[in-house]
Short mmCIF file of all heavy atoms in Angstrom, two decimals:
data_model
loop_
_atom_site.label_atom_id
_atom_site.label_comp_id
_atom_site.label_asym_id
_atom_site.label_seq_id
_atom_site.Cartn_x
_atom_site.Cartn_y
_atom_site.Cartn_z
N ALA A 19 125.63 57.63 57.09
CA ALA A 19 124.56 58.58 56.92
C ALA A 19 124.68 59.13 55.51
O ALA A 19 125.72 59.65 55.12
CB ALA A 19 124.65 59.70 57.95
N VAL A 20 123.61 59.03 54.72
CA VAL A 20 123.65 59.37 53.31
C VAL A 20 122.79 60.61 53.05
O VAL A 20 121.61 60.63 53.37
CB VAL A 20 123.13 58.20 52.45
CG1 VAL A 20 123.22 58.53 50.97
CG2 VAL A 20 123.90 56.92 52.75
N ASP A 21 123.38 61.67 52.49
CA ASP A 21 122.66 62.89 52.15
C ASP A 21 122.17 62.83 50.71
O ASP A 21 122.95 62.55 49.80
CB ASP A 21 123.57 64.11 52.29
CG ASP A 21 123.82 64.48 53.74
OD1 ASP A 21 123.56 63.65 54.60
OD2 ASP A 21 124.25 65.63 53.99
N VAL A 22 120.90 63.12 50.51
CA VAL A 22 120.35 63.20 49.15
C VAL A 22 119.47 64.44 49.06
O VAL A 22 118.75 64.79 49.98
CB VAL A 22 119.53 61.94 48.77
CG1 VAL A 22 120.43 60.77 48.56
CG2 VAL A 22 118.49 61.60 49.83
N ASN A 23 119.54 65.13 47.92
CA ASN A 23 118.78 66.35 47.70
C ASN A 23 117.49 66.05 46.96
O ASN A 23 117.45 65.20 46.07
CB ASN A 23 119.61 67.34 46.87
CG ASN A 23 120.91 67.72 47.57
OD1 ASN A 23 120.90 68.34 48.61
ND2 ASN A 23 122.03 67.36 46.97
N PHE A 24 116.42 66.74 47.31
CA PHE A 24 115.18 66.65 46.56
C PHE A 24 114.35 67.91 46.81
O PHE A 24 114.69 68.74 47.65
CB PHE A 24 114.39 65.39 46.92
CG PHE A 24 113.57 65.48 48.18
CD1 PHE A 24 112.19 65.46 48.13
CD2 PHE A 24 114.17 65.58 49.43
CE1 PHE A 24 111.43 65.52 49.28
CE2 PHE A 24 113.41 65.65 50.58
CZ PHE A 24 112.03 65.63 50.50
N GLN A 25 113.27 68.05 46.05
CA GLN A 25 112.40 69.22 46.17
C GLN A 25 110.97 68.77 46.47
O GLN A 25 110.52 67.73 46.02
CB GLN A 25 112.43 70.06 44.89
CG GLN A 25 113.68 70.90 44.73
CD GLN A 25 113.52 71.99 43.69
OE1 GLN A 25 112.62 71.97 42.89
NE2 GLN A 25 114.39 72.98 43.72
N TYR A 26 110.27 69.60 47.23
CA TYR A 26 108.85 69.40 47.50
C TYR A 26 108.20 70.77 47.52
O TYR A 26 108.67 71.68 48.24
CB TYR A 26 108.63 68.67 48.83
CG TYR A 26 107.17 68.52 49.20
CD1 TYR A 26 106.39 67.55 48.60
CD2 TYR A 26 106.59 69.37 50.13
CE1 TYR A 26 105.04 67.43 48.92
CE2 TYR A 26 105.25 69.25 50.46
CZ TYR A 26 104.47 68.27 49.85
OH TYR A 26 103.14 68.15 50.17
N ASN A 27 107.13 70.93 46.76
CA ASN A 27 106.47 72.23 46.64
C ASN A 27 107.47 73.33 46.27
O ASN A 27 107.42 74.44 46.81
CB ASN A 27 105.74 72.60 47.94
CG ASN A 27 104.37 71.94 48.04
OD1 ASN A 27 103.86 71.37 47.08
ND2 ASN A 27 103.76 72.03 49.22
N LYS A 28 108.39 72.97 45.36
CA LYS A 28 109.41 73.90 44.85
C LYS A 28 110.38 74.37 45.93
O LYS A 28 111.09 75.36 45.74
CB LYS A 28 108.74 75.09 44.15
CG LYS A 28 107.90 74.71 42.94
CD LYS A 28 107.31 75.94 42.26
CE LYS A 28 106.50 75.54 41.03
NZ LYS A 28 105.89 76.71 40.35
N LYS A 29 110.41 73.68 47.06
CA LYS A 29 111.35 74.00 48.13
C LYS A 29 112.42 72.91 48.20
O LYS A 29 112.11 71.73 48.10
CB LYS A 29 110.64 74.11 49.48
CG LYS A 29 109.64 75.24 49.57
CD LYS A 29 108.96 75.23 50.94
CE LYS A 29 107.88 76.29 51.04
NZ LYS A 29 107.17 76.20 52.35
N PRO A 30 113.70 73.30 48.39
CA PRO A 30 114.76 72.29 48.48
C PRO A 30 114.83 71.65 49.86
O PRO A 30 114.65 72.32 50.88
CB PRO A 30 116.03 73.10 48.18
CG PRO A 30 115.71 74.49 48.65
CD PRO A 30 114.22 74.68 48.43
N TYR A 31 115.09 70.38 49.90
CA TYR A 31 115.28 69.64 51.14
C TYR A 31 116.48 68.72 50.97
O TYR A 31 116.87 68.36 49.87
CB TYR A 31 114.04 68.80 51.48
CG TYR A 31 112.81 69.58 51.87
CD1 TYR A 31 111.92 70.04 50.92
CD2 TYR A 31 112.55 69.87 53.20
CE1 TYR A 31 110.80 70.77 51.27
CE2 TYR A 31 111.43 70.59 53.57
CZ TYR A 31 110.55 71.03 52.60
OH TYR A 31 109.44 71.74 52.97
N ILE A 32 117.05 68.32 52.10
CA ILE A 32 118.09 67.29 52.12
C ILE A 32 117.60 66.17 53.01
O ILE A 32 117.23 66.37 54.17
CB ILE A 32 119.43 67.83 52.64
CG1 ILE A 32 120.01 68.86 51.67
CG2 ILE A 32 120.43 66.68 52.83
CD1 ILE A 32 121.27 69.54 52.17
N LEU A 33 117.56 64.95 52.47
CA LEU A 33 117.22 63.76 53.23
C LEU A 33 118.50 63.10 53.73
O LEU A 33 119.44 62.91 52.97
CB LEU A 33 116.44 62.76 52.37
CG LEU A 33 114.96 63.03 52.09
CD1 LEU A 33 114.45 62.03 51.07
CD2 LEU A 33 114.14 62.94 53.36
N ILE A 34 118.53 62.76 55.00
CA ILE A 34 119.68 62.06 55.57
C ILE A 34 119.21 60.68 56.01
O ILE A 34 118.47 60.53 56.98
CB ILE A 34 120.28 62.81 56.77
CG1 ILE A 34 120.55 64.27 56.41
CG2 ILE A 34 121.56 62.13 57.23
CD1 ILE A 34 120.96 65.12 57.61
N ASP A 35 119.62 59.66 55.26
CA ASP A 35 119.31 58.28 55.62
C ASP A 35 120.42 57.77 56.53
O ASP A 35 121.59 57.88 56.21
CB ASP A 35 119.21 57.42 54.35
CG ASP A 35 118.79 55.98 54.65
OD1 ASP A 35 118.16 55.77 55.70
OD2 ASP A 35 119.10 55.10 53.84
N THR A 36 120.06 57.21 57.68
CA THR A 36 121.05 56.79 58.66
C THR A 36 121.07 55.28 58.81
O THR A 36 120.12 54.58 58.48
CB THR A 36 120.77 57.40 60.05
OG1 THR A 36 119.50 56.92 60.52
CG2 THR A 36 120.75 58.90 59.99
N ALA A 37 122.18 54.79 59.31
CA ALA A 37 122.25 53.40 59.70
C ALA A 37 121.26 53.15 60.84
O ALA A 37 121.00 54.02 61.66
CB ALA A 37 123.67 53.07 60.17
N GLY A 38 120.68 51.96 60.85
CA GLY A 38 119.75 51.61 61.92
C GLY A 38 120.46 51.68 63.27
O GLY A 38 121.57 51.17 63.44
N ILE A 39 119.83 52.31 64.23
CA ILE A 39 120.46 52.52 65.54
C ILE A 39 120.14 51.35 66.45
O ILE A 39 118.97 51.08 66.75
CB ILE A 39 120.00 53.84 66.16
CG1 ILE A 39 120.35 55.01 65.22
CG2 ILE A 39 120.64 54.04 67.53
CD1 ILE A 39 119.83 56.36 65.70
N ARG A 40 121.15 50.66 66.90
CA ARG A 40 121.01 49.58 67.87
C ARG A 40 121.36 50.08 69.26
O ARG A 40 121.92 51.16 69.42
CB ARG A 40 121.93 48.41 67.50
CG ARG A 40 121.60 47.72 66.17
CD ARG A 40 122.68 46.70 65.85
NE ARG A 40 122.32 45.86 64.70
CZ ARG A 40 122.51 46.19 63.46
NH1 ARG A 40 123.06 47.36 63.18
NH2 ARG A 40 122.16 45.38 62.47
N LYS A 41 121.02 49.30 70.26
CA LYS A 41 121.44 49.62 71.62
C LYS A 41 122.96 49.63 71.67
O LYS A 41 123.62 48.77 71.09
CB LYS A 41 120.89 48.61 72.62
CG LYS A 41 119.38 48.68 72.82
CD LYS A 41 118.93 47.67 73.85
CE LYS A 41 117.42 47.75 74.05
NZ LYS A 41 116.93 46.74 75.02
N ARG A 42 123.51 50.61 72.38
CA ARG A 42 124.96 50.75 72.44
C ARG A 42 125.64 49.47 72.91
O ARG A 42 126.72 49.11 72.43
CB ARG A 42 125.33 51.91 73.37
CG ARG A 42 124.97 53.28 72.82
CD ARG A 42 125.39 54.36 73.77
NE ARG A 42 125.00 55.69 73.32
CZ ARG A 42 125.75 56.47 72.57
NH1 ARG A 42 126.92 56.04 72.18
NH2 ARG A 42 125.33 57.66 72.22
N GLY A 43 125.02 48.78 73.85
CA GLY A 43 125.63 47.56 74.39
C GLY A 43 125.70 46.43 73.40
O GLY A 43 126.44 45.47 73.58
N LYS A 44 124.91 46.49 72.33
CA LYS A 44 124.90 45.44 71.33
C LYS A 44 125.72 45.80 70.10
O LYS A 44 125.71 45.08 69.11
CB LYS A 44 123.46 45.12 70.92
CG LYS A 44 122.64 44.48 72.03
CD LYS A 44 121.26 44.09 71.54
CE LYS A 44 120.47 43.39 72.64
NZ LYS A 44 119.10 43.00 72.17
N VAL A 45 126.38 46.95 70.13
CA VAL A 45 127.21 47.37 69.01
C VAL A 45 128.64 46.87 69.25
O VAL A 45 129.38 47.46 70.01
CB VAL A 45 127.18 48.90 68.82
CG1 VAL A 45 128.03 49.30 67.64
CG2 VAL A 45 125.75 49.39 68.62
N TRP A 46 129.00 45.77 68.58
CA TRP A 46 130.30 45.15 68.81
C TRP A 46 131.30 45.46 67.72
O TRP A 46 132.44 45.81 68.00
CB TRP A 46 130.14 43.64 68.97
CG TRP A 46 129.23 43.23 70.07
CD1 TRP A 46 127.97 42.75 69.96
CD2 TRP A 46 129.51 43.27 71.48
NE1 TRP A 46 127.43 42.50 71.19
CE2 TRP A 46 128.35 42.80 72.15
CE3 TRP A 46 130.63 43.65 72.23
CZ2 TRP A 46 128.29 42.69 73.53
CZ3 TRP A 46 130.56 43.54 73.60
CH2 TRP A 46 129.39 43.07 74.24
N GLU A 47 130.91 45.28 66.50
CA GLU A 47 131.81 45.46 65.38
C GLU A 47 132.28 46.91 65.29
O GLU A 47 131.51 47.84 65.50
CB GLU A 47 131.11 45.04 64.08
CG GLU A 47 132.02 44.92 62.89
CD GLU A 47 131.24 44.60 61.63
OE1 GLU A 47 130.05 44.25 61.71
OE2 GLU A 47 131.83 44.74 60.56
N LYS A 48 133.55 47.11 64.95
CA LYS A 48 134.12 48.44 64.87
C LYS A 48 133.34 49.33 63.92
O LYS A 48 133.02 50.49 64.22
CB LYS A 48 135.58 48.33 64.43
CG LYS A 48 136.38 49.61 64.57
CD LYS A 48 137.83 49.34 64.20
CE LYS A 48 138.68 50.57 64.37
NZ LYS A 48 140.09 50.32 63.96
N ILE A 49 133.01 48.83 62.75
CA ILE A 49 132.28 49.59 61.76
C ILE A 49 130.90 49.97 62.27
O ILE A 49 130.41 51.08 62.03
CB ILE A 49 132.18 48.81 60.43
CG1 ILE A 49 133.56 48.65 59.81
CG2 ILE A 49 131.25 49.52 59.45
CD1 ILE A 49 133.59 47.73 58.62
N GLU A 50 130.26 49.06 63.02
CA GLU A 50 128.95 49.35 63.58
C GLU A 50 129.02 50.50 64.57
O GLU A 50 128.12 51.32 64.67
CB GLU A 50 128.37 48.09 64.24
CG GLU A 50 127.98 46.99 63.28
CD GLU A 50 126.78 47.34 62.43
OE1 GLU A 50 126.10 48.31 62.75
OE2 GLU A 50 126.54 46.65 61.45
N LYS A 51 130.12 50.57 65.33
CA LYS A 51 130.31 51.67 66.26
C LYS A 51 130.42 52.99 65.50
O LYS A 51 129.85 54.00 65.91
CB LYS A 51 131.54 51.44 67.12
CG LYS A 51 131.40 50.31 68.13
CD LYS A 51 132.66 50.15 68.96
CE LYS A 51 132.50 49.01 69.95
NZ LYS A 51 133.72 48.80 70.77
N TYR A 52 131.17 52.98 64.40
CA TYR A 52 131.28 54.16 63.56
C TYR A 52 129.90 54.59 63.06
O TYR A 52 129.57 55.76 63.02
CB TYR A 52 132.18 53.89 62.37
CG TYR A 52 133.65 53.75 62.69
CD1 TYR A 52 134.50 53.11 61.80
CD2 TYR A 52 134.20 54.26 63.85
CE1 TYR A 52 135.86 52.98 62.06
CE2 TYR A 52 135.55 54.14 64.11
CZ TYR A 52 136.38 53.49 63.21
OH TYR A 52 137.72 53.36 63.49
N SER A 53 129.12 53.59 62.65
CA SER A 53 127.80 53.86 62.09
C SER A 53 126.87 54.50 63.11
O SER A 53 126.10 55.40 62.80
CB SER A 53 127.18 52.58 61.55
OG SER A 53 127.92 52.07 60.47
N LEU A 54 126.95 54.02 64.35
CA LEU A 54 126.15 54.61 65.41
C LEU A 54 126.53 56.07 65.62
O LEU A 54 125.66 56.94 65.71
CB LEU A 54 126.32 53.82 66.72
CG LEU A 54 125.62 54.41 67.95
CD1 LEU A 54 124.12 54.48 67.73
CD2 LEU A 54 125.95 53.60 69.19
N LEU A 55 127.83 56.34 65.67
CA LEU A 55 128.29 57.72 65.81
C LEU A 55 127.82 58.57 64.65
O LEU A 55 127.41 59.71 64.82
CB LEU A 55 129.82 57.77 65.90
CG LEU A 55 130.45 57.24 67.18
CD1 LEU A 55 131.95 57.19 67.06
CD2 LEU A 55 130.07 58.13 68.37
N ARG A 56 127.87 58.00 63.43
CA ARG A 56 127.44 58.73 62.25
C ARG A 56 125.95 59.08 62.36
O ARG A 56 125.54 60.18 62.00
CB ARG A 56 127.71 57.89 61.00
CG ARG A 56 127.63 58.64 59.73
CD ARG A 56 128.83 59.56 59.50
NE ARG A 56 130.04 58.82 59.23
CZ ARG A 56 131.14 58.92 59.96
NH1 ARG A 56 131.19 59.73 60.97
NH2 ARG A 56 132.21 58.22 59.65
N SER A 57 125.15 58.13 62.84
CA SER A 57 123.72 58.37 63.01
C SER A 57 123.46 59.48 64.02
O SER A 57 122.60 60.33 63.82
CB SER A 57 123.02 57.08 63.43
OG SER A 57 123.10 56.09 62.43
N MET A 58 124.22 59.46 65.11
CA MET A 58 124.06 60.48 66.13
C MET A 58 124.44 61.86 65.59
O MET A 58 123.77 62.86 65.86
CB MET A 58 124.91 60.15 67.35
CG MET A 58 124.61 58.80 67.99
SD MET A 58 122.91 58.63 68.54
CE MET A 58 122.91 59.72 69.92
N ARG A 59 125.52 61.92 64.80
CA ARG A 59 125.92 63.18 64.19
C ARG A 59 124.90 63.65 63.16
O ARG A 59 124.67 64.85 63.00
CB ARG A 59 127.29 63.04 63.55
CG ARG A 59 128.42 62.90 64.56
CD ARG A 59 129.76 62.64 63.88
NE ARG A 59 130.82 62.41 64.86
CZ ARG A 59 132.04 62.03 64.55
NH1 ARG A 59 132.37 61.83 63.28
NH2 ARG A 59 132.94 61.85 65.49
N ALA A 60 124.29 62.70 62.46
CA ALA A 60 123.26 63.05 61.48
C ALA A 60 122.07 63.70 62.17
O ALA A 60 121.49 64.66 61.66
CB ALA A 60 122.81 61.80 60.71
N ILE A 61 121.70 63.19 63.34
CA ILE A 61 120.62 63.80 64.12
C ILE A 61 120.99 65.23 64.50
O ILE A 61 120.17 66.15 64.41
CB ILE A 61 120.32 62.96 65.37
CG1 ILE A 61 119.69 61.61 64.97
CG2 ILE A 61 119.39 63.71 66.33
CD1 ILE A 61 119.51 60.64 66.12
N GLU A 62 122.24 65.43 64.90
CA GLU A 62 122.70 66.77 65.29
C GLU A 62 122.61 67.74 64.11
O GLU A 62 122.30 68.92 64.29
CB GLU A 62 124.13 66.71 65.81
CG GLU A 62 124.30 66.01 67.15
CD GLU A 62 123.68 66.77 68.29
OE1 GLU A 62 123.53 68.01 68.17
OE2 GLU A 62 123.33 66.15 69.31
N ARG A 63 122.88 67.26 62.90
CA ARG A 63 122.87 68.11 61.70
C ARG A 63 121.46 68.44 61.24
O ARG A 63 121.25 69.44 60.54
CB ARG A 63 123.59 67.42 60.55
CG ARG A 63 125.10 67.31 60.71
CD ARG A 63 125.69 66.47 59.58
NE ARG A 63 125.19 66.94 58.30
CZ ARG A 63 124.81 66.13 57.31
NH1 ARG A 63 124.86 64.83 57.47
NH2 ARG A 63 124.39 66.64 56.19
#
């Protein structure tokens, strides 16, 4: 999940780009599992 800062109408925003979310059952690779968790945490933030 990547945080980037930008402004719109002179207001600050943070964009969070996340890894593409796959179905949990299709997430096999260890790193992919981390990425899914990261995406879920990004949603929470």
Side-chain angles (χ1 to χ4, degrees):
V20 182
D21 286 17
V22 289
N23 299 296
F24 82 113
Q25 284 196 344
Y26 176 78
N27 278 349
K28 298 182 179 179
K29 296 178 184 176
Y31 291 87
I32 294 175
L33 282 172
I34 309 172
D35 184 24
T36 63
I39 302 175
R40 296 173 171 84
K41 290 182 180 178
R42 290 181 183 270
K44 293 184 177 180
V45 181
W46 301 105
E47 191 184 347
K48 191 176 182 182
I49 294 172
E50 291 291 347
K51 290 181 180 179
Y52 289 160
S53 295
L54 175 61
L55 289 173
R56 195 74 70 238
S57 296
M58 302 301 289
R59 289 175 184 173
I61 292 173
E62 291 292 336
R63 289 174 50 221

